[in-house]
Amino acid sequence: MKKITLTLILSFFTAVGISSLAQNASPFQVTVTGKGKQAILFIPGYSCSGDVWKETIQQLGPNYTSHVFTFAGFAGIAPQANPSLNEWVEAIGHYIQTQKLNKPIVVGHSLGGVAAMWLASEYPDKIGKLVVVDALPCLTAIYNSNFQSQATPDCSAFIQQFEKMDPQTFKTTQYTAMRSMVADTSKLETVVQWSIKSDKATLGKIYCDFSNTDMREKIAAITCPSLILLEASFKAYQDTMNSQYKNLKTARIEYSTKGLHFIMYDDKDWYYNQLRTFLSQGNF
């Protein structure tokens, strides 16, 4: 399959009127693969490269055109001066419009799953189908039942925490974190290296944004068919999961049979079957 890499440049965003990005670097890099009639947008998770979707795209075959995102500051991509999850989502929305994509499917993992929900809630008439891979509308509420998001959170402490870590400490923490997220040991080194190559200030700022995001009410605006794929351990907390997604009326929630957070690596057969079945059903 032919690959076309599109690095969205500053002039593009100026042209579509995103003034907040006018003095900043591109918020993401996009790789476009395939020539199918149906477009799919693949959004990776926190610190990850769009390459996390490589096997998924191969499994889906030639009937799609895949637009694979990697966010600025993640996995070796040049960072922005002041990244913002909100602006990233807004920029993807404008990408859909300027590329004239007709009802694209949006697939997001983890942070990318939250971004996908955010996108579908902001542009409900533009999205054909939504697939969320192991993400919740408000992760922080799982640990803090009294959580309320702030309009303008102070993220300086998060940024400083990451920037102050020496390389060895940072590397050790990434290995520790990723061992709890991916069971497939053949993928562990790849995922860790994406984190190590990520910009520390970006990691701190986006972690702060992510922690402050609450989509529980906003997902009520989503109108497209939605498939939620959650890791096996979440099945023990189905009431909580249902509560998180209660306002997404189009959602079908399924739980993987094994593995950890990177379901696309840890429970491949189940994941591919769920994805193929959902994408083949119904009209957009």
Side-chain angles (χ1 to χ4, degrees):
M1 290 186 292
K2 184 179 180 181
K3 289 189 176 181
I4 306 170
T5 300
L6 303 175
T7 302
L8 301 182
I9 58 176
L10 181 61
S11 59
F12 169 84
F13 292 102
T14 304
V16 296
I18 308 181
S19 60
S20 60
L21 297 181
Q23 296 181 348
N24 212 343
S26 172
F28 44 66
Q29 176 177 292
V30 186
T31 300
V32 181
T33 305
K35 295 182 178 180
K37 292 183 178 179
Q38 178 60 56
I40 305 185
L41 275 58
F42 287 98
I43 309 176
Y46 181 74
S47 81
C48 288
S49 165
D51 286 347
V52 73
W53 301 112
K54 183 177 179 180
E55 291 91 342
T56 297
I57 293 168
Q58 292 172 343
Q59 287 290 323
L60 291 180
N63 295 326
Y64 302 95
T65 298
S66 299
H67 300 251
V68 185
F69 292 75
T70 301
F71 288 122
F74 287 172
I77 301 299
Q80 294 176 278
N82 185 30
S84 163
L85 182 57
N86 178 39
E87 290 182 356
W88 286 359
V89 171
E90 185 180 359
I92 296 173
H94 281 276
Y95 177 86
I96 292 171
Q97 294 174 332
T98 58
Q99 296 298 311
K100 296 180 171 57
L101 303 181
N102 182 30
K103 295 284 187 177
I105 300 161
V106 181
V107 182
H109 173 240
S110 191
L111 172 71
V114 173
M117 285 187 277
W118 198 334
L119 182 71
S121 70
E122 291 288 338
Y123 301 88
D125 61 329
K126 301 294 184 183
I127 308 301
K129 288 187 176 183
L130 173 67
V131 181
V132 175
V133 183
D134 215 36
L136 297 174
C138 186
L139 180 62
T140 304
I142 298 296
Y143 310 102
N144 178 9
S145 59
N146 297 317
F147 170 75
Q148 292 184 336
S149 62
Q150 303 173 42
T152 55
D154 180 3
C155 294
S156 58
F158 290 95
I159 296 170
Q160 291 172 11
Q161 182 178 358
F162 276 91
E163 288 187 324
K164 287 181 178 180
M165 272 191 278
D166 64 82
Q168 185 56 50
T169 300
F170 182 63
K171 182 177 180 180
T172 299
T173 61
Q174 296 312 300
Y175 271 105
T176 300
M178 293 307 173
R179 285 191 184 99
S180 69
M181 294 184 186
V182 56
D184 184 346
T185 55
S186 70
K187 296 295 185 181
L188 177 62
E189 185 65 26
T190 297
V191 175
V192 170
Q193 287 302 316
W194 288 336
S195 289
I196 291 173
K197 292 177 182 178
S198 295
D199 175 65
K200 290 180 181 178
T202 301
L203 291 175
K205 176 57 167 62
I206 298 304
Y207 182 84
C208 176
D209 284 358
F210 188 23
S211 301
N212 188 58
T213 299
D214 187 349
M215 292 295 301
R216 288 176 294 180
E217 297 297 328
K218 292 181 181 179
I219 56 176
I222 298 174
T223 58
C224 65
S226 303
L227 176 64
I228 315 301
L229 303 178
L230 299 179
E231 64 183 270
S233 64
F234 282 160
K235 192 170 185 179
Y237 308 96
Q238 289 189 59
D239 288 345
T240 300
M241 302 300 109
N242 291 336
S243 176
Q244 284 261 326
Y245 278 103
K246 69 179 181 180
N247 290 321
L248 181 50
K249 303 304 181 184
T250 64
R252 188 177 91 228
I253 302 175
E254 301 290 346
Y255 296 89
S256 65
T257 60
K258 61 182 179 180
L260 300 172
H261 181 53
F262 283 78
I263 297 172
M264 69 283 282
Y265 290 156
D266 292 343
D267 200 359
K268 292 179 181 179
D269 291 341
W270 176 87
Y271 163 74
Y272 293 142
N273 182 61
Q274 289 287 337
L275 195 56
R276 288 196 199 96
T277 300
F278 177 67
L279 297 187
S280 68
Q281 292 174 340
N283 297 320
F284 291 86

